[in-house]
Amino acid sequence: MLTDNPRTARDALIIELLGDIGAVHDEIKKIPANLKGSLRESLELIANAVEEAEKTSQFLQQETQSSLKAVSEMQVEKLNKETSAVIEELFSKAISNEIRKTERFALNLQETLQKFPSYFGNQYKKLCYLMAAITILVILACGFGMTTLYLQSKSWEQRSVGIFNAYKEQQNIIMTLPDNERNKFRK
């Protein structure tokens, strides 16, 4: 009815407005379908981005661990080399000091031994004879002392055998006594 011929400008505007509202209505009906498609695409993009981020994170974590391991191995190797060098240096210093001390001691001992006969002069042979005589006297004194101890121990052995024989005789006499008398000796 109004679409056949618009009578006034107002009717024309209403007709045009109704056409625009219809077009807007059609566009609104298309929004859920468009949203589903674009939402699905957005979710797929987000999922792919999250997956890529996880892969990147794992890769970075592995790279970081391998880098840290390599750095720590290098530091341990460096520390081992430094420690070995320090120990070697200290050891060589200590050994060289001890070798110098030993050399000085050996030289001092050698000089003393070379000067030894001059300390005693012509008395050197007499000193050797005196030392030999003292050694022989000490050996004789030790032999005399050991002989004395041996004889003393023989005497003690004979005494202990005599005491044991006397004890056996007493036991034999006690065994010949009546039981009530024998019990007195047992307590």
Side-chain angles (χ1 to χ4, degrees):
M1 73 185 158
L2 288 176
T3 55
D4 293 338
N5 274 329
R7 288 188 199 162
T8 63
R10 181 174 166 212
D11 289 338
L13 285 174
I14 289 176
I15 292 172
E16 192 177 327
L17 182 63
L18 285 176
D20 288 343
I21 288 177
V24 169
H25 182 264
D26 290 339
E27 288 296 320
I28 290 175
K29 280 187 176 179
K30 290 180 186 176
I31 287 177
N34 288 341
L35 278 178
K36 277 185 183 178
S38 68
L39 191 57
R40 180 174 293 137
E41 289 174 10
S42 296
L43 288 176
E44 286 177 2
L45 286 173
I46 290 172
N48 289 339
V50 167
E51 188 175 326
E52 285 296 319
E54 286 177 352
K55 287 180 183 177
T56 303
S57 171
Q58 288 176 352
F59 175 75
L60 288 175
Q61 184 179 9
Q62 289 173 351
E63 286 296 315
T64 303
Q65 287 177 348
S66 65
S67 295
L68 286 175
K69 185 177 179 183
V71 167
S72 67
E73 287 174 355
M74 286 175 32
Q75 289 297 328
V76 166
E77 186 176 323
K78 182 181 175 184
L79 185 62
N80 283 339
K81 286 180 181 177
E82 290 175 356
T83 304
S84 295
V86 167
I87 288 173
E88 195 172 301
E89 181 182 337
L90 290 175
F91 185 72
S92 66
K93 282 182 182 178
I95 293 295
S96 65
N97 286 341
E98 289 301 317
I99 288 174
R100 276 190 236 117
K101 286 179 186 177
T102 305
E103 285 176 354
R104 277 187 258 136
F105 179 74
L107 289 174
N108 190 14
L109 183 62
Q110 187 177 16
E111 288 174 8
T112 304
L113 288 175
Q114 287 174 353
K115 293 177 183 177
F116 181 71
S118 66
Y119 287 139
F120 297 105
N122 295 333
Q123 306 296 326
Y124 181 67
K125 284 184 180 181
K126 290 179 184 177
L127 181 65
C128 289
Y129 290 134
L130 180 65
M131 292 297 260
I134 290 174
T135 305
I136 290 171
L137 286 175
V138 168
I139 290 172
L140 289 175
C142 288
F144 177 75
M146 289 180 6
T147 304
T148 305
L149 283 174
Y150 174 74
L151 293 175
Q152 188 89 25
S153 68
K154 277 293 191 185
S155 169
W156 289 341
E157 180 183 357
Q158 289 171 354
R159 286 183 192 160
S160 62
V161 167
I163 291 171
F164 180 72
N165 288 336
Y167 175 75
K168 276 176 60 180
E169 286 179 25
Q170 288 175 357
Q171 288 297 319
N172 288 336
I173 293 172
I174 290 173
M175 294 307 275
T176 60
L177 294 175
D179 286 340
N180 60 352
E181 292 295 320
R182 195 178 329 154
N183 287 338
K184 290 179 185 177
F185 290 106
R186 290 195 181 176
K187 294 179 182 177

